[in-house]
Amino acid sequence: MTTSTSELGIQSTQPNLQQSDKSAVALAQHYQTVRRLSQRLCQPLLIEDYCLQAMPETSPAKWHLAHTTWFFETFILKPYVKSYQVYNAHFEYLFNSYYNAVGAQYPRAQRGLLSRPSVDQVFSYREYVDKQMHKLFTDTQSMSNKEVLQRITLGCHHEQQHQELFFTDLKYCWYQNPILPAYQEKPLKSATPTDELRFSKVSSGLYTIGQNSTNNFSFDNEQPAHQVYLQDYLIGQRLVTNGEFLSFMIDGGYDRPDLWLADGWTQIQEKENIHAPLYWQQLGQEWFEYTLHGLQPLDLARPVAHISAYESDAYARWADCRLPTEQEWEVYVEQPADLNSKEESGQFLQDDHLHPINTNKITSALIGRLWQWTSSAYSPYPGFKTAEGAIGEYNGKFMANQLVLRGGSCVTSKSHYRHSYRNFFYAKDKWQFTGICLAKDP
Amino acid sequence: MTTSTSELGIQSTQPNLQQSDKSAVALAQHYQTVRRLSQRLCQPLLIEDYCLQAMPETSPAKWHLAHTTWFFETFILKPYVKSYQVYNAHFEYLFNSYYNAVGAQYPRAQRGLLSRPSVDQVFSYREYVDKQMHKLFTDTQSMSNKEVLQRITLGCHHEQQHQELFFTDLKYCWYQNPILPAYQEKPLKSATPTDELRFSKVSSGLYTIGQNSTNNFSFDNEQPAHQVYLQDYLIGQRLVTNGEFLSFMIDGGYDRPDLWLADGWTQIQEKENIHAPLYWQQLGQEWFEYTLHGLQPLDLARPVAHISAYESDAYARWADCRLPTEQEWEVYVEQPADLNSKEESGQFLQDDHLHPINTNKITSALIGRLWQWTSSAYSPYPGFKTAEGAIGEYNGKFMANQLVLRGGSCVTSKSHYRHSYRNFFYAKDKWQFTGICLAKDP
Amino acid sequence: MTTSTSELGIQSTQPNLQQSDKSAVALAQHYQTVRRLSQRLCQPLLIEDYCLQAMPETSPAKWHLAHTTWFFETFILKPYVKSYQVYNAHFEYLFNSYYNAVGAQYPRAQRGLLSRPSVDQVFSYREYVDKQMHKLFTDTQSMSNKEVLQRITLGCHHEQQHQELFFTDLKYCWYQNPILPAYQEKPLKSATPTDELRFSKVSSGLYTIGQNSTNNFSFDNEQPAHQVYLQDYLIGQRLVTNGEFLSFMIDGGYDRPDLWLADGWTQIQEKENIHAPLYWQQLGQEWFEYTLHGLQPLDLARPVAHISAYESDAYARWADCRLPTEQEWEVYVEQPADLNSKEESGQFLQDDHLHPINTNKITSALIGRLWQWTSSAYSPYPGFKTAEGAIGEYNGKFMANQLVLRGGSCVTSKSHYRHSYRNFFYAKDKWQFTGICLAKDP
Amino acid sequence: MTTSTSELGIQSTQPNLQQSDKSAVALAQHYQTVRRLSQRLCQPLLIEDYCLQAMPETSPAKWHLAHTTWFFETFILKPYVKSYQVYNAHFEYLFNSYYNAVGAQYPRAQRGLLSRPSVDQVFSYREYVDKQMHKLFTDTQSMSNKEVLQRITLGCHHEQQHQELFFTDLKYCWYQNPILPAYQEKPLKSATPTDELRFSKVSSGLYTIGQNSTNNFSFDNEQPAHQVYLQDYLIGQRLVTNGEFLSFMIDGGYDRPDLWLADGWTQIQEKENIHAPLYWQQLGQEWFEYTLHGLQPLDLARPVAHISAYESDAYARWADCRLPTEQEWEVYVEQPADLNSKEESGQFLQDDHLHPINTNKITSALIGRLWQWTSSAYSPYPGFKTAEGAIGEYNGKFMANQLVLRGGSCVTSKSHYRHSYRNFFYAKDKWQFTGICLAKDP
């Protein structure tokens, strides 16, 4: 299957394989596809762009390229390939993100200071590891080791996560430059105007959420599948638009403390003094939005993006709604009637704000556009166990102070997505591709 | 009923009334009892002690005395007494804590800078408001207004919350002074050594938690009662002791990143460089603990106190356990077989670390000693609604980034407590009387 | 001689003795006078006021009372009285300001957290030390020890410095309280309108500045006297007034970067966002100034006060002038013709902004009103030597990053002042009683 | 004259012209030489290295290249070339350093975030401006305008300052990378061991310092020449060596508060927790020093470098010396007998720590090695006037809180240096090539 991501000039050929029944050959193909995409995403970049780090939470493109490679080297080549020679002894320290069980880490906030290794050297590092991985794929003994296959699959998903971060981080870093560089020069197409927001009703009862990971890949934080009891609820069939959010602003939304969570009010009033979403700029009377296509006139029909959980919550309160819990969200989108896979497939990694939203398609309109804040804290599912060793640090240790986001975004790869996917960020964060899904009580 | 709080020299006479069927007379008595206790708690203080503020989160005793009075003035006397004259026009600004709907607030972090009004003036303010309240209690029309009665009841609970904060804040502020003042000079009694920690099992199923507030008072955040589905779980029958926590420390607990949530690891390593609970001090080879009785040798049988959620979580992981959810905690303590009201009643507001824990009494051993961190984020219950106006700011706007604590503590009034009580603090906080309750999967 | 400080209700009886030829009796009298004044200055304070610390640079009144006592205990009683018993072992740590040679110090920024020892205990401490000092004064052997006499004299000057800080710190702390307490309820008298500022000319040549401390007391930083060569210069005969400074403000002075030193521009624009002197408030169209007499209408004829060196420098540049160097200032005021001791004596420690300035008296109009920023960095004089031991820390270690101020202020004791006095603060500081003296090139 | 800077692989051909009698041709040649050197210095850099900014005080190499070009465009081409077309309208904002009279500036701390314009575009910008400047040089009318000639000369000196900053900033940024890149791979030569430090005596008297700028270029801050009176003093004939500084460290120099200025003690103890110079590293028992040649064994005979004024002052106090004033320093090096121009010329911009110091040559041993901290605050000379307009911001507005450094360094161009040169940095700064010159009283 070929997903045309023509707006960004990328020909993506990610197979939508089911990982578990994949042969070694299929896995090798998938590996190659994912690895190649990371590099193709970088094509519009100058060498200078690879090194940007505008805040501690963002990493330079070069670092993403090296770290994802380090992941394969550290968790697959080193433990499973006997005679493996590390490419460069410094890299264990420089490109370890947060795995304390592996060792100390170069300070996260200073990744932008690593002019060396150069971009060229990082590409050579990738080539070296890819060759070693290629050998491993042809080693039948290794390929019959389930743990090896699982880790390679994990490594591919890990790299796909960083492909998404590549976009979010680059966009944030470029925004600090008054030149406002564009990833793709071609202007964004106008979105189709939306109908009024309609809500679907879900009835109370016991539901199962999460994954037992029998066939399909899932991260440990989606496991185990378990029952939850939900009350009746309504959930919005599409995301909140720029036009709707502008109405909130015009109504004084950013200046009414009654609409805001206390920590959010502190952020917008005392710390940041903000009165509009992160990438919005008012020039004269007109609003513009910085996108991967550069500064564009604000399209009122597109979903509002780069919104903190506080902003989402304040908007929801203004609209006499609330944010859904992650359980409500997952139960809703898993309802078979509403799914339309064709439509859904068109919304993933393609451009910044993607296609105009077609409100005729219901749950699918929540998928692959913008991650949606839920009101659920990022906590372990009942019965959750962290893996032994460094891999156990992948997700579990972040289960504090963050909220779950659901739905994937326009910079998420389709083959990386599933409905049980639990993304997580701090409520204050805005540099991800985040939007607003509403819920309410009947 | 009289609760003897002899260790602190306080004769408390709080009636354990059911608020809803209380006559105006009973409510007036309750009001008087609560108000009087606030002042009696201050008896060991010097004038100088009333003004301390060691961090933004703590407030001076004087401010607590004034703010609780302001609450009755603002939410009862001003709206419901026609000719009411405010005591001092400055106080609306000075003693408003966080009610934006009432108006701007004097900066929280600077409350310790208010040498004026003096302690004497604050006591006069209390006397003035008490007199006005006394008049109100004798006004039959007002006393037949359900909203007035509810607000007075809320005001009493509000003041009881601040009585607890009075202790937590004073203890923290005094600890900054190397003289280490004691609230009560008499040394702490030794606790009875505990048996090994045993766990109770609760079976999976649908349970109801929360309050519909038909008869008994509850805060809005405990409402509405609703069904939850729980998996099988085990829960510890008593709190973790100092001795058990010391074993964790000796085993390198503070230096093993695998035991810690990432944000907790950052706190203990980068920000605070800590290796023991907040009030522990090692002098030579011996450990001591600062208590309201001054610095005391560490009593291994007492429950470990003043513990952050991160420390609780790290200890639990070290012990192959986890923290309970708030639902698990409430369902367990509501089980009728385990309750022993006599035992339970003896653990509330009395001294710092209270009586030795009797492990024969099961769930009661979790009540009225130390608030226990749950793994549950402080979120709205399904169907939660905030009240209109300023009163709606009481609880709802804090439902972000905090965790629920359960169980009451030795500085909680018994008449203020109920099993559905949801206290909430940030995971990093340690100055409250917090301890560790463990849970695990079967 | 009796200086009437009637506006503050203080009867000061400080003898203007020459220390070196003072008998032990005279020194004892002087000691008693100085010590008593510290306590009399506190009369308008409530107990609550003694504990205030609004920023690290300010200390509570209670701390000043204890620290000045600690100074006599540490530097005189302990080394020179054999059987001396310290009053309280904790005080060595609690009331040491910055003498590393004596030992570690309680953190400066937390002095406001010391509710204990109480105000009463601090007064008892003072009484205890005064008694011991009284005994020492009657010990003829000690009184013949020149070092003892010198240290007592130093201790008295040290306490007089803290009397001045008592006012500056209290004023700053009270200003944080919207009630704006007054030290003296009686309103300020209007100042006599001033004539246009006239300048005196001083001719180039070699001059001697500083003190060799033969007869009169001086701090080590005023020593040794030495020759300097000065170019011709003009110096303003009186301080800049509020009215003149208001003209600067109306002319956009706070918004014109060309008038400001770079570090000053950063302070007013980025850090503090200020557009008026520290204690000025505009209510409607009118300007007011917070004084020790409470909030008062701005008196245009009084000298502008509580001005940073940056503000002084910006004003001077706006007025086509500059600040004098400390050498220029000292040479000018030492010129005998201009001195008028009667006039001069009336300007010291009396009230906040003191008497209206009489511009007929020339150099005297610079003395005892407000400390004046010079353009001179606080550096050692040629040949300066620090004393051995802890006393050597008194002045020398602060000779970095600060500027010299000259002239004394209305909260300086007359017996503490001399023309060679070098006060020193950071250019950004505003809470001292500082004003503007102008100079320019012919 | 050709200065061989072979150790860094640079052939520098800077003419040591007297600017004032230079013909337009000579000035054009000088311009070309200076401009070319900026680019040649960049030869060892990767594109990635051009973008580094490790702290707000350092700027990326790319920014230095653009800003120096912007200086010629802004102060010469725009005002003096009628039809001049700016290269890119964004650059006025992006590459303005601190000239408020020109307009707002891109935030200094974020210069490292400007991936665009690219390095290529910056070189094109340089080429464009150079061409325009070339035209100007051939315009006889402009070349007869003294102001134009002066500004071009100033622009060349400005660029030479940034050449020096290029090295200091690059070194500091690379040091953040554990790979520790080398600017020049060839190892440093060992220095010739030094004799014991000898002092020269200068007699008291009236001396003239500063420049009246009749023939030679000088910055405004060196003007006007004026008389100063100095006491007798002694000054060290060479810089303090690594070996001598190591003795200070071994003697506990970093842990003795009596040796430190208070602000310095705060820096080393509370803020930075440092116990050695910035670029020193102890591996096992051996000390190493990071240099532009990479990490090198510490050469005890080389002068100690990258030293704050606090460290210099503490060392001086330990050695029973003090730092010289800037007047003492200038008077000493201007003494004709001690000058040896051949020796002196060999110490400038060549390599990191330069040639071994030859102690036979007296004052020359202070020149062109490392800037030396003086004890003099950076203040205006008597009679100093700032220029009108933006050029007036060049030096004057920084005359607060900084100290004067003298002597030039191994990364200063010889044609840029003169004995009256007043460099200035904050006492805490260490990333410049700074060393220690000692003085003392007879």
Side-chain angles (χ1 to χ4, degrees), chain D residues 107-138:
Chain D
R108 183 187 186 190
Q110 299 186 22
R111 289 172 185 166
L113 300 181
L114 297 173
S115 61
R116 318 286 179 100
S118 67
V119 173
D120 268 1
Q121 286 173 304
V122 167
F123 275 88
S124 299
Y125 177 39
R126 291 182 66 88
E127 200 179 342
Y128 176 82
V129 164
D130 284 348
K131 273 188 193 152
Q132 303 294 320
M133 286 295 293
H134 186 71
K135 273 193 216 158
L136 184 69
F137 281 121
T138 60

Side-chain angles (χ1 to χ4, degrees), chain A residues 44 46-49 51-54 62 90 93-94 106 110 112-120 173-174 176-179 181, chain D residues 44 46-49 51-54 62 90 93-94 106 110 112-120 173-174 176-179 181:
Chain A
L46 304 180
I47 295 294
E48 292 88 337
D49 296 320
C51 307
L52 292 170
Q53 182 175 34
K62 194 173 73 173
H90 280 110
Y93 173 68
L94 290 177
Y106 184 76
Q110 299 186 23
L113 299 181
L114 297 173
S115 61
R116 319 285 181 100
S118 67
V119 172
D120 267 1
C173 292
W174 271 351
Q176 312 308 312
N177 190 332
I179 289 172
Chain D
L46 303 179
I47 295 295
E48 292 88 338
D49 296 321
C51 308
L52 292 171
Q53 182 176 34
K62 194 173 73 174
H90 279 110
Y93 172 69
L94 290 176
Y106 184 77
Q110 299 186 22
L113 300 181
L114 297 173
S115 61
R116 318 286 179 100
S118 67
V119 173
D120 268 1
C173 291
W174 271 351
Q176 312 309 311
N177 190 332
I179 289 171

Side-chain angles (χ1 to χ4, degrees), chain B residues 48-49 106 115-116 119 177, chain C residues 48-49 115-116 119 176-177:
Chain B
E48 293 88 337
D49 295 321
Y106 184 77
S115 61
R116 318 284 179 100
V119 172
N177 190 332
Chain C
E48 293 88 337
D49 296 320
S115 61
R116 318 284 180 101
V119 172
Q176 313 308 312
N177 190 331

Side-chain angles (χ1 to χ4, degrees), chain D residues 268-328:
Chain D
I268 67 165
Q269 295 286 318
E270 293 172 27
K271 293 185 189 156
E272 302 187 0
N273 190 25
I274 59 168
H275 292 84
L278 172 58
Y279 291 126
W280 289 26
Q281 291 189 354
Q282 196 171 22
L283 306 176
Q285 294 301 306
E286 296 305 309
W287 281 101
F288 291 79
E289 181 180 19
Y290 177 62
T291 74
L292 289 172
H293 299 250
L295 197 67
Q296 299 283 323
L298 188 71
D299 185 335
L300 299 183
R302 284 183 184 278
V304 62
H306 296 289
I307 282 288
S308 72
Y310 299 130
E311 290 170 310
S312 300
D313 181 86
Y315 178 85
R317 192 163 293 129
W318 176 79
D320 281 325
C321 292
R322 58 175 175 81
L323 302 184
T325 64
E326 64 168 324
Q327 290 83 9
E328 289 171 339

